[in-house]
Amino acid sequence: MSVVYVENLVKRYKEVLALDHFNLDIKQGEIFGLLGPNGSGKTTAINCMLQLLTYDKGVIKLFGQDMTPSRYDLKKRIGIVPQNIAVFEELTVTENVDYFCALYVSDKAVRTQLVKEAIEFVGLEEYVKFRPRKLSGGLIRRLNIACGIVHKPELIFLDEPTVAVDPQSRNAILEGIRSLNRNGSTIVYTSHYMEEVEEICTRIMIMDHGQILASGTNNELKAMIGTGEKIQVEVFNLSDEALGAIKALNCTQRASYDGKTLEVFCTSGAQNLSTVLQTLQQEGLALGRVYSEPPTLNDVFLELTGTELRD
Amino acid sequence: MWNTFKYTVKALVQEKSCFVWALAFPLIMATLFGAMFANLDSAHYLNPIPTAVVDDARYRNAQAFSETLEALAKSGENQLLDLFSVKSSAEADELLKNGTIIGYYQVDEKEQPELFITAASGNSINQTILKNLADGFIQTQAALKTIAENNPQAFADPNFLENLQEQTNYTQEISIIANEASGSVRYFYALLGFAAIMAANIAVIAVTQTQANLSPLGARRSLGATSRTKALLASLLASWLLAFLCLIITFAYMRYVLDINFGRDLASILGLGVASLMTTALGAFIGAIPKIGEMLKAGILTVLSCFFALFAGLYGEPSLKLADDMNRIAPLFQKLNPSRQVTDLFYSLYFYDGFDEFYRVVFVLLAMAAVLFLLAALLMRRQRYASL
């Protein structure tokens, strides 16, 4: 069943086309990643789906039903963790979580249990009486998450939840997202950190300037660009002839040299590394460190747009 | 809805900026006013006039005059003179010179009191009183002497002397206001008017935190499964309660610590309830204005408060005169001045006997609240926004 279905969504901010016939179909149980640089339209897409923003055209269905601002029955099944910290500065951790829980759950006894579980889930048990200003950036992010997931929603939108957090909190947040998914929640995860998206998402959509560039699983996306392996070799005084020899290899898609490191993008193949090294040795060059790795989503993005993801 | 109300109250109570302007500032100002105006009202009352009398043989022989002075110097509510008895005119002159007394009496060889004053010896009102006292005594004495010479049988009437001594007053003093006239209360009422407008800050913050286009917190709250109307109502109710409490505390401080007379206390509290409703509506309206930050809104409110307070008479005598002039020249402007209307609430209770004027001001404030709530609702009616 489609939990989120978006068809031909168009959103303009005056002259700027923020979403250009945006389509989305997320199935139940997925961790769906929306990957794109800042300003690519990820948050706009989410805000349109949640009916916070008006849009020019398109169909939005959540849980198979048309979404409107007053569909409180659907909103009850949705959790939101916004990009900006959105909690009461003046309330404690427990009070904040309880407040947001009360927007969905009226029974106080049920709520008390849910609040306790949410606080435990994000690991804030020791900080229940702290106000946000006393928490570190990572802990505030966890509180932000607790407020969004406390009512155990079936669908959770997490908009850049790891921005400006320490590695420990980041790992805890990512593990928490996996755990929410294991417990049955469908996750929509936006980020411009490709490593995170690669790590946790079952399906990924890459977008830029409001357009979908590619969509699929991690492997499907990498397969799209045809790069099987990325080889980096530290080498000094690489001549133009030697670089030309590397570029002339059958396995080479493209190669570049920055005066210190040779970077070779190869097609899929078992012998790519030995072929490249052999060629360099034949040129009589002294080699330093050698790296070989499969392509990343950044490589996919680079291939699709011609720019780095973090540009 | 209850939870939203409860947590909004909790959150707003800790908003320092709200209470600096809505509570702390009026309390500090009230304390300053209390110190500044402590003697303002007493200046209108007559204090016993420091007067000396030369206690010589002539004075002791002028029994009627000495008895009159002693009666006027007797402690109590009607004490007119603070009488110093001196042995000689030289001693009296010395007291007059050093400012201890306003003037002194000495009985002359005709057994009539003479008043000695100097131009620098005190205010003219007190000197006039002393002069009238001496003149009155001399006139009465002369009248008795004339009657004794021309119509001595008149003294056979036992009521004659009593009637003669009785000073019949042919004018009656009545007050056209419900309470004793006081010059200082107007400043305190104007201060409450100012405090009421500043209390609108509470609603500004509350509304900003509920609207998706005004804050990230508002956006998140808008996405909850509770109706926006309910959430907004709960927030406005919390704002109204806190604004009301701020005004009640300021009122109680003025009433019971500074001893300011408000005429009728219960009606004053009811009036504060209405005033805080109007101020909540004003805050809701300003808070709902899109594309303006919270700080700028607080700034707008401060400017408005100061501007309205100018025409409510907060800034001293010239401001009071301006307020009175504006009442005559531009009554509609004053009707639309919320600070002036809150000030008028207390005027109506202090200066008027009945409640007609009070009800009129309450009606104006309720009408203002209704219009402002309507405007706020128009600004907040949207559930989706073109941009956030």
Side-chain angles (χ1 to χ4, degrees):
Chain A
M1 186 191 91
S2 287
V3 175
V4 179
Y5 178 78
V6 179
E7 190 183 311
N8 284 325
L9 185 62
V10 176
K11 167 71 186 170
R12 286 175 192 279
Y13 291 117
K14 293 183 180 167
E15 300 306 312
V16 178
L17 187 58
L19 292 173
D20 184 6
H21 294 88
F22 179 81
N23 292 291
L24 191 61
D25 189 0
I26 300 173
K27 305 290 181 196
Q28 190 170 14
E30 284 193 283
I31 302 181
F32 191 91
L34 272 174
L35 180 66
N38 290 328
S40 59
K42 305 185 297 291
T43 303
T44 298
I46 288 181
N47 285 337
C48 287
M49 288 182 233
L50 296 171
Q51 304 295 311
L52 264 183
L53 284 175
T54 54
Y55 44 90
D56 301 278
K57 189 182 151 190
V59 174
I60 296 171
K61 286 176 188 263
L62 299 182
F63 304 104
Q65 297 175 62
D66 286 331
M67 183 62 179
T68 64
S70 53
R71 284 300 300 269
Y72 297 112
D73 56 332
L74 296 182
K75 286 183 173 181
K76 217 165 198 163
R77 300 164 71 183
I78 302 168
I80 299 107
V81 179
Q83 185 176 351
N84 296 315
I85 301 293
V87 295
F88 288 95
E89 285 292 319
E90 303 80 13
L91 301 183
T92 64
V93 164
T94 303
E95 287 168 343
N96 263 300
V97 180
D98 185 46
Y99 171 79
F100 285 103
C101 191
L103 296 178
Y104 302 90
V105 181
S106 53
D107 187 301
K108 197 180 175 191
V110 175
R111 216 167 58 227
T112 305
Q113 183 58 29
L114 286 172
V115 170
K116 186 169 172 281
E117 286 174 18
I119 288 172
E120 282 171 6
F121 182 79
V122 296
L124 287 177
E125 303 96 312
E126 291 173 29
Y127 307 96
V128 287
K129 291 197 171 147
F130 281 51
R131 290 191 167 75
R133 70 180 79 94
K134 297 275 182 189
L135 299 176
S136 68
L139 294 178
I140 291 179
R141 283 275 163 199
R142 292 196 210 178
L143 171 61
N144 204 33
I145 292 172
C147 293
I149 55 105
V150 60
H151 57 293
K152 298 202 167 164
E154 294 166 55
L155 170 63
I156 305 171
F157 289 89
L158 292 128
D159 193 2
E160 309 251 13
T162 58
V163 169
V165 302
D166 56 279
Q168 192 189 351
S169 287
R170 177 184 166 277
N171 290 337
I173 289 168
L174 294 181
E175 183 46 43
I177 291 166
R178 282 196 204 94
S179 172
L180 287 167
N181 182 246
R182 279 197 296 274
N183 292 336
S185 296
T186 303
I187 310 284
V188 181
Y189 185 89
T190 80
S191 179
H192 62 273
Y193 296 134
M194 59 187 175
E195 303 88 349
E196 288 179 4
V197 174
E198 262 188 285
E199 193 180 332
I200 65 165
C201 293
T202 54
R203 215 145 58 88
I204 299 157
M205 178 181 278
I206 298 176
M207 60 186 299
D208 196 17
H209 301 297
Q211 288 184 320
I212 299 165
L213 300 179
S215 181
T217 63
N218 192 10
N219 289 334
E220 284 170 350
L221 288 173
K222 288 172 185 173
M224 279 179 196
I225 61 170
T227 301
E229 192 174 4
K230 188 168 80 177
I231 297 167
Q232 289 178 306
V233 184
E234 274 186 8
V235 54
F236 300 99
N237 302 320
L238 182 74
S239 63
D240 288 344
E241 290 76 26
L243 182 60
I246 293 292
K247 283 181 176 175
L249 292 171
N250 285 335
C251 66
T252 302
Q253 282 187 317
R254 63 178 192 275
S256 60
Y257 178 62
D258 63 3
K260 188 181 168 193
T261 305
L262 170 69
E263 197 170 57
V264 187
F265 289 84
C266 302
T267 53
S268 296
Q271 309 294 324
N272 293 337
L273 181 60
S274 60
T275 306
V276 169
L277 292 178
Q278 208 171 9
T279 306
L280 291 171
Q281 280 166 346
Q282 281 169 3
E283 296 289 330
L285 294 162
L287 305 181
R289 279 174 284 192
V290 176
Y291 304 93
S292 172
E293 58 182 23
T296 63
L297 286 176
N298 192 40
D299 299 322
V300 176
F301 193 82
L302 182 67
E303 179 105 1
L304 293 171
T305 66
T307 55
E308 294 274 345
L309 183 58
R310 289 193 180 97
D311 278 359
Chain B
M1 189 167 164
W2 162 245
N3 246 48
T4 302
F5 173 78
K6 181 178 83 176
Y7 284 125
T8 306
V9 169
K10 266 193 171 182
L12 287 175
V13 160
Q14 292 168 70
E15 273 284 350
K16 287 189 187 78
S17 61
C18 284
F19 294 95
V20 165
W21 291 109
L23 188 62
F25 185 71
L27 288 178
I28 292 166
M29 287 295 286
T31 307
L32 290 175
F33 280 10
M36 282 162 59
F37 302 134
N39 298 320
L40 189 68
D41 291 335
S42 61
H44 294 291
Y45 298 105
L46 195 63
N47 291 316
I49 306 164
T51 314
V53 62
V54 180
D55 189 4
D56 54 12
R58 286 180 191 158
Y59 175 67
R60 283 189 288 276
N61 286 338
Q63 195 185 344
F65 184 61
S66 63
E67 281 176 3
T68 302
L69 289 190
E70 279 165 26
L72 292 172
K74 197 172 173 186
S75 301
E77 200 181 324
N78 296 320
Q79 183 182 358
L80 183 66
L81 302 178
D82 182 11
L83 198 61
F84 293 79
S85 194
V86 295
K87 297 290 175 210
S88 65
S89 57
E91 198 181 332
D93 281 334
E94 186 58 34
L95 289 176
L96 194 60
K97 203 172 159 187
N98 66 27
T100 309
I101 56 172
I102 301 292
Y104 71 89
Y105 294 110
Q106 188 170 25
V107 177
D108 63 13
E109 65 276 6
K110 293 177 192 166
E111 293 188 355
Q112 288 191 344
E114 270 188 298
L115 175 65
F116 293 85
I117 54 174
T118 66
S121 67
N123 70 49
S124 57
I125 294 174
N126 286 342
Q127 289 176 344
T128 306
I129 291 169
L130 292 182
K131 185 172 183 307
N132 285 346
L133 199 157
D135 290 348
F137 182 82
I138 291 167
Q139 280 167 9
T140 307
Q141 206 177 33
L144 283 171
K145 198 174 172 185
T146 307
I147 293 166
E149 283 170 5
N150 300 329
N151 188 18
Q153 62 271 28
F155 290 96
D157 181 356
N159 296 325
F160 173 69
L161 275 178
E162 200 176 312
N163 289 342
L164 195 70
Q165 283 172 351
E166 193 176 90
Q167 300 253 333
T168 306
N169 203 343
Y170 293 101
T171 57
Q172 187 187 354
E173 186 182 328
I174 57 163
S175 175
I176 58 166
I177 58 174
N179 292 284
E180 211 168 64
S182 165
S184 63
V185 293
R186 298 186 70 186
Y187 295 105
F188 290 96
Y189 298 169
L191 181 58
L192 271 175
F194 173 79
I197 308 305
M198 288 311 289
N201 254 321
I202 298 170
V204 169
I205 293 170
V207 164
T208 305
Q209 290 182 346
T210 57
Q211 295 302 296
N213 58 331
L214 301 177
S215 66
L217 182 58
R220 185 175 210 167
R221 291 171 77 181
S222 302
L223 295 170
T226 302
S227 115
R228 280 179 79 238
T229 311
K230 276 186 188 172
L232 193 60
L233 273 178
S235 293
L236 289 177
L237 200 60
S239 309
W240 172 78
L241 177 72
L242 291 177
F244 184 44
L245 284 176
C246 285
L247 291 177
I248 285 285
I249 291 168
T250 308
F251 166 80
Y253 179 72
M254 289 179 178
R255 175 72 186 87
Y256 297 105
V257 178
L258 303 177
D259 202 24
I260 303 302
N261 188 350
F262 281 86
R264 283 156 279 191
D265 291 347
L266 272 178
S268 296
I269 291 166
L270 177 70
L272 288 174
V274 176
S276 43
L277 188 69
M278 182 278 298
T279 202
T280 302
L282 177 66
F285 170 63
I286 293 175
I289 298 171
K291 300 182 195 320
I292 302 181
E294 209 174 285
M295 291 293 284
L296 186 57
K297 284 175 182 170
I300 290 171
L301 202 55
T302 307
V303 170
L304 280 180
S305 307
C306 295
F307 176 74
F308 287 142
L310 174 67
F311 299 102
L314 182 67
Y315 311 124
E317 195 62 40
S319 174
L320 274 178
K321 189 175 177 313
L322 179 66
D324 292 340
D325 289 345
M326 288 297 282
N327 273 359
R328 283 190 299 275
I329 301 163
L332 183 63
F333 170 80
Q334 290 292 63
K335 286 270 186 301
L336 297 174
N337 177 349
S339 195
R340 176 74 214 192
Q341 289 304 312
V342 176
T343 307
D344 278 353
L345 263 182
F346 302 105
Y347 279 11
S348 69
L349 294 172
Y350 187 80
F351 291 114
Y352 290 81
D353 286 324
F355 280 96
D356 289 354
E357 182 62 13
F358 176 71
Y359 291 143
R360 187 198 65 75
V361 181
V362 164
F363 176 78
V364 170
L365 286 170
L366 286 176
M368 270 184 196
V371 170
L372 289 166
F373 273 132
L374 186 68
L375 291 173
L378 286 173
L379 289 173
M380 293 189 283
R381 75 189 188 285
R382 273 195 217 159
Q383 290 186 295
R384 291 190 297 182
Y385 304 88
S387 63
L388 292 175

